[in-house]
Amino acid sequence: MTGQLVRPHPPAASRTPGPSRAGRSRRRLRLTGVLVASLVVGGALTVPTAWADDAPPTPAELLARCDNGTRKCVFHPDGPPAKVAGPTRKVGDEDYNCTALAQRSGIGWSDTTEESNSLGLSMTVGVGWEGVFSASVTTSFEHSWKHAVTESSTTFVDIRPGHVGWVTRTPDLQRVSGTYELIFKNRFHGHRYWYVPFEVTGPLDTSTMAQRTRPMTGAEQAEHC
């Protein structure tokens, strides 16, 4: 029965000791041949799941599956939102004082601050992982999370003769760090449990304004005066 695995029977008590070394070697060879044949499917070697080199998914791929194939997707914050200062930037237009007297100039401006996150992902309000994040912050800290804040006003700047004036704004931000826990219904890349560290920074309703002035350059005097 060439090519088939023959299961040996245990020797009877009255028989002589078991098969020879050569017989055991032949059985091992036949067993190896059957094992290799069971791994070859369609001419290609199919590696069992436990042996597969399955590259882990990216954090973005995992968060895209939040409430989309998961049995559970939650965000666990490390602590309450921390207040931090955002980047300072110029808002509104510059104003040039070409007179011989000091001038008080009203500079109108409007500025929008949006949230950002450690993965550089775009957040769709109330959907998928973003909705899970907002609900977690609201439930854990009774604190609403803002995705964007627009502030508009007019700031007055005292500008000396021959100077240019402008306004800067430093928005107040809130930052939350934590971890997403995803439990899949079925294995995803070989596992049902995945964890994604995450940090989000969002705007508050407040900011710090500052009035700035400096002497005009010769080119600015020629252009604006």
Side-chain angles (χ1 to χ4, degrees):
M1 299 180 65
T2 305
Q4 296 184 2
L5 177 63
V6 179
R7 185 181 301 277
H9 295 283
S14 59
R15 293 180 183 177
T16 56
S20 65
R21 180 177 301 174
R24 290 196 299 269
S25 297
R26 284 193 295 271
R27 276 195 291 275
R28 282 197 294 269
L29 288 173
R30 285 197 295 269
L31 178 60
T32 302
V34 172
L35 176 61
V36 172
S38 70
L39 297 177
V40 177
V41 180
L45 184 63
T46 303
V47 182
T49 302
W51 298 354
D53 184 15
D54 192 5
T58 65
E61 289 174 330
L62 286 169
L63 292 188
R65 299 297 298 269
C66 182
D67 285 344
N68 180 27
T70 56
R71 182 170 61 84
K72 178 182 178 181
C73 179
V74 294
F75 178 77
H76 302 288
D78 294 335
K83 183 178 179 180
V84 295
T88 299
R89 58 189 177 194
K90 185 183 75 172
V91 293
D93 296 326
E94 296 176 332
D95 199 10
Y96 301 86
N97 184 2
C98 297
T99 72
L101 300 175
Q103 301 287 332
R104 169 162 289 188
S105 177
I107 299 178
W109 54 269
S110 180
D111 191 40
T112 299
T113 304
E114 298 180 335
E115 67 185 351
S116 61
N117 58 75
S118 56
L119 299 180
L121 299 178
S122 176
M123 303 179 80
T124 302
V125 178
V127 177
W129 58 270
E130 193 287 325
V132 170
F133 170 82
S134 297
S136 175
V137 172
T138 301
T139 303
S140 300
F141 310 113
E142 297 182 354
H143 179 84
S144 63
W145 185 265
K146 296 182 181 295
H147 303 280
V149 169
T150 298
E151 187 177 2
S152 302
S153 186
T154 297
T155 301
F156 290 90
V157 183
D158 293 323
I159 308 174
R160 291 179 289 175
H163 283 60
V164 56
W166 69 96
V167 177
T168 61
R169 176 177 180 261
T170 304
D172 294 324
L173 307 177
Q174 53 184 343
R175 179 172 295 159
V176 174
S177 299
T179 303
Y180 275 92
E181 178 186 13
L182 298 96
I183 304 177
F184 285 83
K185 301 174 183 177
N186 302 306
R187 289 184 182 273
F188 185 62
H189 287 256
H191 301 277
R192 290 182 59 240
Y193 292 81
W194 288 95
Y195 299 89
V196 181
F198 198 68
E199 182 179 271
V200 186
T201 302
L204 293 171
D205 290 323
T206 56
S207 63
T208 301
M209 306 303 301
Q211 299 89 352
R212 310 289 185 184
T213 63
R214 61 168 175 77
M216 281 188 281
T217 65
E220 288 172 334
Q221 288 180 337
E223 179 179 358
H224 299 282
C225 302

